């Protein structure tokens, strides 16, 4: 499978392999993720797959609700009339692709009506930039009749493919150094941008996430407070903090904010897929803890554009990269806690023969025996037989006590 930007072709098989089993079923396919993460590209990939399977292009209906020419269809009655007219006119199975569907108020009524009226004569794909897409009435109307796929910016292997396609040849290590700064937002990855041009693009993306997907959608009055709060989160990815500690920080900056406001604003940013919260999991007690969460950013390139310091904060950025890779691979991820130590990530997903769980520590380099002991000790306390990994940028690695020590770049490349 490949994804196009101009003539550039990028493989996104991680997602296509998840989506293909649901093609040509009555299940509504929902692709969600942060703005500009490549959801529209995924719709193109799905169409390419269908064309290769013998489906005719005239069987497609595609609407991007952010395009001005489609403004009339933001009214759900008009949208429904248009879609039903086109379906009847085609007199063939129809594949419907609705991009950024959250722009249409009450769109769920249209989707439910199409599903009920045409059953297996329609195959419906939606994209959206807000997690609330699958809450409320849509979830109620379509309970058990939809499947969600979260789409993230390019992971490292996709980044490598993109740079190869536009003719930038470097070693994997050199590409990884660039990836830590650039991030994985598809459009700038597929351009030979200068640093400043890339920062300008990503800053605009960040601003549009804040304005369109948070401020306008949630009717936020204090957009400056929201920006300052998100900048704090970006600066502190992977660090534990509470709403109370954020309120104290803002107060020191001369800004008044309540705990409730901070909690709400963080929730809005999570709903817009701008940041990713991780709960803390007690490994021995096998339960989630109610105490402080950690937050990560959906693309570390956005962090560099807004905050800078990715190279200086390399350990935090490496954690962020590993988390995004795990999410793209379909894992549910939490922060682990043993009796007295913390495990960076506990990653789980259901597989054919049961449960795939991994315990992962991320570090820059194991430069001393003390550092090595620190990174391995929390994993040594875990007494089950699931995979235990320490990921670093050390060129030479050494396993110990059943714990695998891997180079991060090698791990990212190995599917």
């Amino acid at each position: 499978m490949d994804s196009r930007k101009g003539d550039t072709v990028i493989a996104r098989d991680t997602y296509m392999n998840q989506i293909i089993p649901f093609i040509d079923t009555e299940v509504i396919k929902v692709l969600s993720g942060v703005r500009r993460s490549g959801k529209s590209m995924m719709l193109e990939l799905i169409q390419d797959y269908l064309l290769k399977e013998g489906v005719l292009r005239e069987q497609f209906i595609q609407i991007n609700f952010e395009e001005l020419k489609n403004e009339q269809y933001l009214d759900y009655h008009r949208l429904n009339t248009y879609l039903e007219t086109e379906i009847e006119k085609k007199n063939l199975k129809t594949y419907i692709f609705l991009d950024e569907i959250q722009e249409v108020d009450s769109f769920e009524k249209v989707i439910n009506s199409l599903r009920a009226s045409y059953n297996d004569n329609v195959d419906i794909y939606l994209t959206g930039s807000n997690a609330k897409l699958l809450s409320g009435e849509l979830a109620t109307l379509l309970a058990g009749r939809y499947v969600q796929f979260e789409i993230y910016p390019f992971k490292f292997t996709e980044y490598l493919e993109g740079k190869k396609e536009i003719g930038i040849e470097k070693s994997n290590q050199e590409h990884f150094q660039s990836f830590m700064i650039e991030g994985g937002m598809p459009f700038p990855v597929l351009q030979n941008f200068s640093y400043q041009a890339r920062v300008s693009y990503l800053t605009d993306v960040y601003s549009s996430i804040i304005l369109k997907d948070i401020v306008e959608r949630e009717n936020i009055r204090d957009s400056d407070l929201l920006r300052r709060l998100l900048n704090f989160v970006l600066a502190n990815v992977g660090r534990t903090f509470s709403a109370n500690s954020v309120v104290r920080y803002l107060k020191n900056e001369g800004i008044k904010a309540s705990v409730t406001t901070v909690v709400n604003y963080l929730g809005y940013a999570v709903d817009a897929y701008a940041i990713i919260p991780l709960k803390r999991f007690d490994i021995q007690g096998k339960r989630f803890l109610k105490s402080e969460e950690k937050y990560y950013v959906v693309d570390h390139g956005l962090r560099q554009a807004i905050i800078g310091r990715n190279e200086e904060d390399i350990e935090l950025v490496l954690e962020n990269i590993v988390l995004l890779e795990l999410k793209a691979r379909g894992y549910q991820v939490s922060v682990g806690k043993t009796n007295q130590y913390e495990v960076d990530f506990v990653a789980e997903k259901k597989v054919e023969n049961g449960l795939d769980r991994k315990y992962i520590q991320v570090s820059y380099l194991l430069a001393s025996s003390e550092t090595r002991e620190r990174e391995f000790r929390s994993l040594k306390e875990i007494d089950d037989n699931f995979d235990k990994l320490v990921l670093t940028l050390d060129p030479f690695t050494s396993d110990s006590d059943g714990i695998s020590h891997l180079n991060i770049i090698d791990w990212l490349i190995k599917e």
Side-chain angles (χ1 to χ4, degrees):
M1 270 317 98
D2 46 52
S3 179
R4 293 174 180 78
K5 195 70 184 177
D7 293 327
T8 306
V9 179
I10 300 299
R12 303 213 82 178
D13 288 341
T14 301
Y15 298 117
M16 284 305 298
N17 290 337
Q18 297 172 27
I19 295 169
I20 285 173
F22 295 95
I23 289 177
D24 274 325
T25 70
E26 293 182 40
V27 176
I28 310 299
K29 276 69 71 177
V30 182
L31 283 63
S32 57
V34 73
R35 183 176 295 271
R36 303 291 174 258
S37 61
K39 299 184 297 295
S40 299
M41 285 184 175
M42 291 307 306
L43 294 186
E44 293 180 19
L45 278 174
I46 294 166
Q47 291 173 15
D48 286 347
Y49 175 85
L50 289 168
L51 291 170
K52 290 174 182 175
E53 292 294 304
V55 175
L56 304 175
R57 188 170 291 278
E58 50 262 38
Q59 292 176 251
F60 298 162
I61 299 174
Q62 181 163 356
I63 304 175
N64 185 334
F65 293 102
E66 291 195 321
E67 294 180 358
L68 188 60
K69 66 181 181 180
N70 295 321
E71 186 175 20
Q72 60 183 312
Y73 301 125
L74 297 181
D75 177 276
Y76 76 93
H77 288 292
R78 287 187 179 181
L79 174 62
N80 188 69
T81 298
Y82 170 75
L83 291 174
E84 288 194 348
T85 300
E86 289 297 307
I87 292 168
E88 300 291 345
K89 188 189 304 181
K90 292 178 186 300
N91 198 30
L92 290 167
K93 180 164 186 174
T94 305
Y95 297 83
I96 301 173
F97 303 91
L98 304 178
D99 206 356
E100 299 296 354
I101 189 67
Q102 78 278 347
E103 300 294 328
V104 182
D105 287 336
S106 299
F107 72 87
E108 61 275 1
K109 296 179 181 178
V110 178
I111 303 306
N112 192 52
S113 177
L114 292 175
R115 184 199 58 77
S117 300
Y118 297 99
N119 296 312
D120 60 357
N121 200 42
V122 293
D123 193 11
I124 302 174
Y125 301 82
L126 312 176
T127 81
S129 300
N130 194 284
K132 289 182 180 177
L133 193 71
L134 291 176
S135 64
E137 192 171 358
L138 179 63
T140 301
L141 290 172
L142 299 180
R145 299 187 180 94
Y146 70 83
V147 60
Q148 180 187 17
F149 307 94
E150 290 189 352
I151 308 300
Y152 292 90
F154 285 164
K155 54 189 192 144
F156 183 54
T157 51
E158 295 166 335
Y159 176 92
L160 287 177
E161 183 66 18
K163 293 306 181 184
K164 178 180 178 181
E165 290 295 331
I166 64 173
I168 299 179
E169 298 289 345
K170 296 180 182 178
S171 68
N172 287 343
Q173 185 168 350
E174 289 172 319
H175 273 308
F176 186 73
Q177 290 171 342
S178 299
F179 178 63
M180 287 193 296
I181 301 300
E182 293 182 26
M185 283 294 189
F187 182 74
V189 168
L190 300 178
Q191 314 298 317
N192 194 7
F193 275 161
S194 67
Y195 176 81
Q196 195 53 52
R198 187 172 62 253
V199 166
S200 178
Y201 173 84
L202 292 174
T203 301
D204 287 345
V205 170
Y206 183 71
S207 295
S208 68
I209 293 169
I210 290 177
L211 180 62
K212 289 187 65 66
D213 299 325
I214 306 179
V215 172
E216 290 182 3
R217 185 176 181 87
E218 307 296 346
N219 296 314
I220 288 177
R221 295 179 181 178
D222 195 344
S223 60
D224 183 61
L225 171 60
L226 175 66
R227 284 183 181 273
R228 286 174 179 267
L229 174 60
L230 289 184
N231 286 0
F232 174 85
V233 174
L234 264 60
N236 290 279
V237 293
R239 293 190 176 118
T240 303
F241 59 84
S242 66
N244 282 312
S245 66
V246 176
V247 168
R248 289 193 295 271
Y249 162 79
L250 292 172
K251 184 178 181 180
N252 290 335
E253 295 290 307
I255 303 166
K256 291 184 178 180
S258 69
V259 169
T260 299
T261 298
V262 168
V263 169
N264 287 340
Y265 281 16
L266 287 172
Y268 299 150
V270 170
D271 286 341
Y273 296 103
I275 58 176
I276 302 169
L278 292 191
K279 294 182 178 180
R280 299 171 72 229
F281 182 72
D282 183 342
I283 296 170
Q284 275 85 10
K286 294 180 171 54
R287 61 188 176 91
F288 284 101
L289 304 172
K290 294 182 179 179
S291 55
E292 304 158 328
E293 293 181 321
K294 286 188 175 184
Y295 290 87
Y296 293 84
V297 62
V298 74
D299 179 66
H300 50 282
L302 289 174
R303 183 187 193 273
Q304 176 67 24
I306 304 304
I307 302 296
R309 304 206 318 262
N310 275 13
E311 289 181 300
E312 294 90 333
D313 297 335
I314 187 168
E315 195 130 337
L316 301 180
V317 173
L318 291 176
E319 275 189 41
N320 210 106
I321 289 171
V322 170
L323 170 65
L324 292 175
E325 180 72 24
L326 290 168
K327 298 289 282 185
R329 293 184 186 184
Y331 287 94
Q332 298 296 314
V333 187
S334 57
V335 177
K337 179 186 177 300
T338 61
N339 289 323
Q340 53 183 325
Y341 303 118
E342 189 169 89
V343 177
D344 288 333
F345 301 123
V346 180
E348 293 184 342
K349 68 177 175 181
K350 292 180 181 179
V351 291
E352 189 173 345
N353 58 350
L355 180 69
D356 175 8
R357 178 187 291 169
K358 300 181 189 302
Y359 303 105
I360 299 175
Q361 286 288 95
V362 182
S363 184
Y364 174 33
L365 296 170
L366 302 186
S368 66
S369 58
E370 291 80 8
T371 305
R372 181 179 176 86
E373 172 58 27
R374 185 188 70 229
E375 297 301 331
F376 276 75
R377 66 189 176 191
S378 59
L379 298 179
K380 289 179 181 178
E381 287 200 359
I382 304 170
D383 60 4
D384 63 36
N385 294 317
F386 290 109
D387 290 344
K388 302 173 183 67
L389 311 175
V390 174
L391 303 178
T392 74
L393 284 179
D394 290 288
F396 303 104
T397 60
S398 176
D399 300 346
S400 176
D401 297 320
I403 299 169
S404 300
H405 178 200
L406 302 173
N407 178 272
I408 289 178
I409 298 172
D410 294 340
W411 178 79
L412 290 170
I413 292 173
K414 181 181 179 182
E415 290 294 331

